[in-house]
Amino acid sequence: MRTAAVAIALVAVCTSVSSCGRTIPGTPGAVGSGGGEGAVNVDFDKLLRECEVLTPQQMSQAVGDEAQFSASFVGAVCMWDVLGGPGGNAKLTLNWYENGSLNVERQTYQRLGYESGITTIQGASAVEIRRPGDPDSCGVTAKAADAGVVGWWINYRAGSSHPDPCPVAAKLVELTLNRAR
């Protein structure tokens, strides 16, 4: 009985393995090389589009007319080094979370011990965020025009002579909300 069961199992395995194999005609190619309808775009040419929501001239409007920007992209945020602004060198960071909520942002910063307050920008609810004991940086996050949240941070070099960073972050959010409409 046991030998019969083993024989039946072997026949079943051999039959299923042999019936699954088949040859597919054609020539193999890299992903996206087929062209035509349904082709995959592997150029990632629109990956940084969110980083272009403001032009360098618009960022200068918020930071200071003499500022120069050197862009770099890291993960889910866009970052710029600010050189030669009226407040000295700094870093700008833009985050735009399509599924984010202002409530979650505020609760997260509160759990981290950051100081936060509610404000409005262009009629949208916003949160102003400061790290405890850090007068050199500020972030402002607002409800985005369509969905989610958009936020900007500015971090001046520690101890440098600079203006209050919160109005700069707020102006960047304001310009972004104007552009997003």
Side-chain angles (χ1 to χ4, degrees), residues 19 44-45 91 98 102 121 129 139 166 177:
S19 66
F44 301 110
D45 57 344
K91 244 214 215 289
E98 294 170 359
L102 213 49
I121 297 176
I129 309 116
C166 285
L177 292 175

Side-chain angles (χ1 to χ4, degrees), residues 97-106 141 148-149:
Y97 302 121
E98 294 170 359
N99 295 318
S101 88
L102 213 49
N103 236 9
V104 169
E105 291 292 308
R106 184 160 192 230
T141 300
V149 293

Side-chain angles (χ1 to χ4, degrees), residues 10-44:
L10 282 174
V11 169
V13 168
C14 289
T15 304
S16 67
V17 168
S18 66
S19 66
C20 288
R22 65 185 172 117
T23 302
I24 298 174
T27 306
V31 172
S33 65
E37 189 176 332
V40 177
N41 178 1
V42 292
D43 294 333
F44 301 110

Side-chain angles (χ1 to χ4, degrees), residues 69-167:
F69 302 92
S70 174
S72 64
F73 177 78
V74 181
V77 299
C78 307
M79 298 178 77
W80 294 265
D81 290 320
V82 180
L83 304 170
N89 296 342
K91 244 214 215 289
L92 288 182
T93 306
L94 163 69
N95 62 288
W96 196 321
Y97 302 121
E98 294 170 359
N99 295 318
S101 88
L102 213 49
N103 236 9
V104 169
E105 291 292 308
R106 184 160 192 230
Q107 289 170 2
T108 300
Y109 285 116
Q110 284 176 338
R111 276 196 304 270
L112 292 171
Y114 286 38
E115 301 163 10
S116 65
I118 300 293
T119 186
T120 4
I121 297 176
Q122 294 290 310
S125 294
V127 178
E128 184 179 282
I129 309 116
R130 290 186 181 264
R131 288 187 195 112
D134 181 3
D136 303 308
S137 67
C138 182
V140 174
T141 300
K143 186 176 179 195
D146 295 329
V149 293
V150 61
W152 282 90
W153 275 86
I154 183 159
N155 301 308
Y156 287 105
R157 184 179 298 149
S160 64
S161 175
H162 56 76
D164 182 357
C166 285

